[in-house]
Amino acid sequence: MKTSRKDVLYLNIAVMLFGLAGVAAQYIEISSILIALGRVISSSLILFVILKARKKDIRLGSRRDYVLIIFVGCVLAVHWTSFFHSVQVSTVAIGTMMSVTFPMFVTFIEPAVFKEKLRAKSVVSSLILILGVFITIPEFSISNNMTRGILWGLLASLTYAIMTVGNRYFAGKYEGMLICFYEQGTAAVVLLPSLLIVRAEWHAADIALICFVGTVCTALAYTLYVTAQKRVRAQTAGIITGMETVYGIVYALLLLGEVPSVRELAGCSIIIGVALYTSVTNAG
């Protein structure tokens, strides 16, 4: 499978937009599950409007596809909730760093699902990426907020790995925007009961930021990401997505004043090196 330069560009733009989501969460003063709910509601609505305006057929090809995409949508609900919670209890850097460890899971899940050979190159690249991520993590203890952020980030990582592999299957059959609509819509339905359980004071700024995250950082970014997966292996997409850590730290520095430590800069150097190498060697 040969990845075009256009696919690489789409992936990198998507990851740049993904990186903004964590920063936005630091400005939103409501629970992570409600942020996730607002994100998927706004993104699924905008996707539905666009699909209807383009007069697209939104039906899937089989009952099996409906079952699978609903499953991925449920996983997405867990992913966004755990990611935002990781960022809120720790930092943007920790949240993004842990979420991009998902190639470690993808590298082994993808060959099992698609009956492919486990590639040594993918394993090595993923391990180097993981090394870069863990170098940036400070010393921690179980009672530390950073530890809780790391654990929630790992859950976000695992769920994203499952979604990535699932999206490779759907990307070969459906348009990226349609896939996103079903997954975001399913996640919205799954998270909707949280409105009755979690109490929150909604402010105009919170709503505006959630809409921004839902439309730009989700509907647009996720569509670009899934579309690019039609011609790229999930491991390759995963390594490029490691750049989210770099973008997240830069955004946090500029917008939140979070100054990266020497360890974070060292880890980011490894991450960006692996990501750029993967982009160049897989573009043709």
Side-chain angles (χ1 to χ4, degrees):
M1 183 184 296
K2 195 72 172 180
T3 305
S4 70
R5 296 186 187 280
K6 184 178 180 180
D7 295 321
V8 172
L9 177 62
Y10 281 173
L11 286 172
N12 280 283
I13 291 175
V15 171
M16 288 180 69
L17 295 175
F18 288 155
L20 278 174
V23 176
Q26 295 284 42
Y27 287 101
I28 302 174
E29 299 180 356
I30 58 175
S31 171
S32 58
I33 193 171
L34 294 181
I35 299 176
L37 172 62
R39 178 176 194 169
V40 293
I41 286 179
S42 55
S43 61
S44 58
L45 286 178
I46 192 68
L47 288 171
F48 178 75
V49 170
I50 294 174
L51 287 168
K52 296 304 290 185
R54 295 172 58 188
K55 298 182 179 179
K56 292 285 186 178
D57 184 1
I58 63 173
R59 292 175 297 181
L60 300 183
S62 66
R63 180 177 299 179
R64 179 173 182 267
D65 287 352
Y66 279 108
V67 173
L68 289 175
I69 208 163
I70 287 173
F71 168 74
V72 176
C74 293
V75 174
L76 175 63
V78 178
H79 168 72
W80 286 138
T81 301
S82 55
F83 170 73
F84 284 128
H85 194 65
S86 174
V87 170
Q88 287 188 327
V89 301
S90 56
T91 64
V92 173
I94 292 297
T96 55
M97 280 189 290
M98 296 314 299
S99 66
V100 299
T101 61
F102 76 93
M104 176 177 62
F105 300 108
V106 171
T107 295
F108 298 99
I109 295 174
E110 187 178 48
V113 172
F114 292 102
K115 310 300 181 184
E116 297 174 344
K117 183 179 179 180
L118 184 63
R119 299 169 63 185
K121 180 181 177 181
S122 297
V123 174
V124 172
S125 295
S126 296
L127 290 176
I128 294 174
L129 175 60
I130 300 305
L131 174 63
V133 171
F134 277 93
I135 282 176
T136 66
I137 299 174
E139 189 175 348
F140 55 81
S141 64
I142 296 299
S143 61
N144 195 295
N145 282 340
M146 293 300 177
T147 301
R148 291 196 289 271
I150 289 168
L151 294 176
W152 281 102
L154 283 174
L155 177 58
S157 173
L158 174 60
T159 50
Y160 200 80
I162 296 171
M163 289 164 49
T164 300
V165 174
N167 284 337
R168 178 184 166 188
Y169 165 78
F170 289 117
K173 304 180 67 174
Y174 305 105
E175 182 180 355
M177 190 174 295
L178 181 62
I179 299 169
C180 293
F181 164 68
Y182 272 100
E183 292 177 356
Q184 303 290 330
T186 299
V189 173
V190 171
L191 294 174
L192 198 60
S194 64
L195 284 175
L196 303 176
I197 301 172
V198 181
R199 301 181 64 180
E201 294 184 10
W202 293 84
H203 302 288
D206 294 332
I207 296 174
L209 281 171
I210 288 175
C211 288
F212 170 77
V213 170
T215 55
V216 178
C217 301
T218 305
L220 173 60
Y222 202 53
T223 298
L224 288 174
Y225 190 88
V226 174
T227 299
Q229 283 188 298
K230 289 183 178 181
R231 293 170 297 275
V232 64
R233 290 177 60 86
Q235 290 107 322
T236 300
I239 298 298
I240 294 175
T241 305
M243 286 291 291
E244 182 180 349
T245 298
V246 179
Y247 295 132
I249 290 177
V250 172
Y251 294 147
L253 172 63
L254 298 177
L255 302 176
L256 299 173
E258 290 185 2
V259 180
S261 65
V262 173
R263 294 170 65 92
E264 290 173 337
L265 291 176
C268 281
S269 297
I270 294 176
I271 292 168
I272 195 170
V274 174
L276 290 177
Y277 172 77
T278 303
S279 298
V280 170
T281 56
N282 285 279

